[in-house]
Amino acid sequence: PEWSSQTPLQLSHLWQTRLRAFGMSARNLSILTRILVLAAFYLVGGIVGTEVLFQDGTISLVWPPAGIALGAILLFGYRYWPGVALGTLLFAVVNGIPLGLFTLGTILGNVIGAIVCFYLLERFVRFQNAMERVHDVAGFVLMACLLGTTVNAASNAVSLVHSGTLAWNELFGSMMHWWAANAMAVLVISPFMLAWGTPSRIQWDPRRVFEALACLACLVAGTLISFNSWYVYGIQNYPLAFLPYPFLVWAALRFGQRGATTSTLLVSSIAIYDLLRDRGPFFTGSDEESVLLIGSYIGVLAVTNLLLAAISCERGRAERSVRESERQLRAVVADQTELIWRFTPDGCLTFINNACCRFLGKASADLLGRNPLRLFTPDERPILALDFAALPPDNPVASYDCKILSPDGRVTWHACTTRRLFDANNRTLEFQTVARDITERRQLEEQLRQSQKMEAIGQLAGGVAHDFNNLLIVIKGYATLLLAQGKFDAKTSESMRKILSSAERAAKLTRQLLMFSRKEPMRFQILDLNHVLADMDKMLHRLIGEHLTLDFNYCPDEPLFRGDTMMLEQVILNLTLNARDAMPDGGRIHLSTNIVNVDTPNTSRYPEARPGSFVRLQVSDTGSGIPSDILPRIFEPFFTTKEKGQGSGLGLATVFGIVKQHLGWIEVDTELNRGTTFSILLPLSKAEPPSTFAPDTGAIDHHGSETVLLVEDEASLREALRNMLEWYGYQVLDASTGAQALRLWKSHRKRIHLLLADMVLPDGFSGTELAAQLLADKPGLRIIYSTGYTDTIGKEVPKGPGIRFLPKPFLPQTLAQTVRECLDEAAEPAR
């Protein structure tokens, strides 16, 4: 009932399960039990062997015990030799053979022969029981069938001679008869045991079961026709003996060593059975001749089948290996994140991997046969249409960066490597391209280049502004002093005032450059962005004109930040004026404040972005927008798209520098003909804004008579400063270096009241170092530092009573006021 209700596939699985269970049960037997089972099989094999004797029992074609012994030793190991010895002894007892020298020699010959075969195969062949290699089959035939069985045959023949059964002159002939019988058994029975005693890779399904049954039926029919028909008696019908060969080949090629050994055993058994009954094409009337013919037939049949099965297994293994390698290679290529494609010299795609299909949003069938240049942007195609066939065989690789179009129209940058593939004659087969997406890397590189460029421009602007400040002090100083003398006519005085006005405009330009280069001094305090924006409401309405609409949206919470009021007003003013200029025909400007939490900053576009809480100021317009080709340059100094004379190109550069000084960053969102939004993000502060106070603006007399030590390396500026101080009544000792100032100090120490020093001096002596030495010698000395590199504020300038800082450029009255206030400041009480 268990079998009758099963489908063919279920029967196949059930059969394999039972076989595996039987194999497991056999392996779980004890060694003693296995030895006894081996002895029993050996005895049965010996009984069968006595049934195939020729010439009145003097010639045996196949001696099954030899094959059983070797098969068992190979399957289970040499430890099972006692089973061979016990089987030989039992056979002698059953057949009434005296337990003498012959029996002992036979036992030794059978045991030693099996162990020698096992040793030769293990030592020289590295034999595998499955015999799925040609190497194993060839080694088995040579070592086991030809050499190993010789020991068994020689031992049995010598035992017959010593027992008196055989004469010495018949030793060789008898040994050959034993050897042939043992060799045939080893060649037919041992492989059958090994094939069915080792696991098989064949997967049984209904189709394969049907094929196996068909092969078996054809094999049996062909063998019966060859050996058991009434019209095939005698050697004249010898060619008919090979009728089973096609089916033997079928069994070997399709079912491996199990099919080969089983079919060989079946055909050999039928052939021997019929020959014993004087039938078949090998029956000649002479036993020796018949034995020779059928032995040759079985030997050729067995060796051929074993080799065919081994070749089939090796080929199958090689095909599986190739398929697996191909599968792995395809999986590696197909699953790569890089885009990979191949194309012929005439420009047709022959292969495209999954990553490329996913990127392009199309199936490979829709892409194969197309020109790969279609993948790239139109401006890249002429470059990529270069003759890749010119790549030489010794260096057939070209690497380049190019732009590839995505299905949604985005342009992505890819690093491509194209390789020219050759055949054995160095003729071009195909080209293979591997493309890796480097869009993000290009963006980061562009940001880095932009940042480095802006930093370099800032350094240049700061240096220019510093030198320009020195010139402005000279210009404004002399012009102011000349006007103060009042000795010129009205026309000349007006010219002097124009000089001062132009110098003042130049000073403002210099301050803008310093703001961009982040070297303008800041007066930081806690500010409320809502208040800063509200205070500018009326002024902004007057500036933009009546053709524009201006509205505000204030944050309900207090958007507090640490900043400079005047600087932030400059940022708001510049952004609003830019928005106005982008809408000459009218539009809307919207200013808003809010507090935002940045979790995942877009560092690819804004490297300064970082997580945290920030105050955001947004200035939006409905103007023309900013074209993408000029967007990266909008913060560069002197870069402007306005007509000549309508803009200096420093508005956004100033905004950029101020925001940087406030530790923030600027984000720009723009769309052509839809408008632009500038977002300023500044670190949020939790502190309360301090109360404000009005400074005392009472009149102060700036004149004096004290002695001032002036240290300035630029000669024209030093002379101008000396004249300014002397104009206000001060006595001046001037030096161009720190070392020269020290020499003057040694000579005039007692009468010097104040040191006015540039912070950067040419001899490596900084103004702060010089002041420190002089203060150590005279603690009451007053100090005024001055420099155009105003980024040093808060870093190098000492703090304390009697110490002031005077940024360049400055007017003579500013200089005189600072000197007077510093001299009049109360000294620190002695301790």
Side-chain angles (χ1 to χ4, degrees), residues 154-215:
S155 176
N156 290 336
V158 170
S159 298
L160 288 173
V161 171
H162 280 287
S163 65
T165 308
L166 190 67
W168 281 103
N169 58 351
E170 297 175 343
L171 175 64
F172 181 75
S174 176
M175 188 180 72
M176 290 303 297
H177 288 160
W178 278 100
W179 174 84
N182 290 342
M184 286 300 102
V186 167
L187 200 57
V188 174
I189 297 175
S190 295
F192 176 79
M193 294 176 61
L194 295 175
W196 287 95
T198 55
S200 174
R201 288 191 175 90
I202 296 177
Q203 298 296 324
W204 292 95
D205 53 33
R207 184 176 178 180
R208 187 172 287 273
V209 171
F210 176 78
E211 182 184 356
L213 293 176
C215 180

Side-chain angles (χ1 to χ4, degrees), residues 71 74-76 122 127-132 136 191 194-195 198 257:
L74 287 174
L75 281 175
F76 304 112
E122 287 290 321
F127 183 74
Q128 295 180 3
N129 288 339
M131 289 195 297
E132 293 182 343
D136 293 330
L194 295 175
T198 55
Q257 290 294 7

Side-chain angles (χ1 to χ4, degrees), residues 419-447:
R419 178 181 292 274
R420 182 185 176 191
L421 305 177
F422 300 92
D423 61 9
N425 298 319
N426 280 341
R427 290 177 299 193
T428 303
L429 290 175
E430 287 182 322
F431 297 94
Q432 177 175 288
T433 298
V434 179
R436 180 166 51 88
D437 191 340
I438 58 169
T439 304
E440 184 176 356
R441 191 192 78 187
R442 292 283 296 216
Q443 291 175 344
L444 292 174
E445 289 175 351
E446 184 61 30
Q447 287 292 331

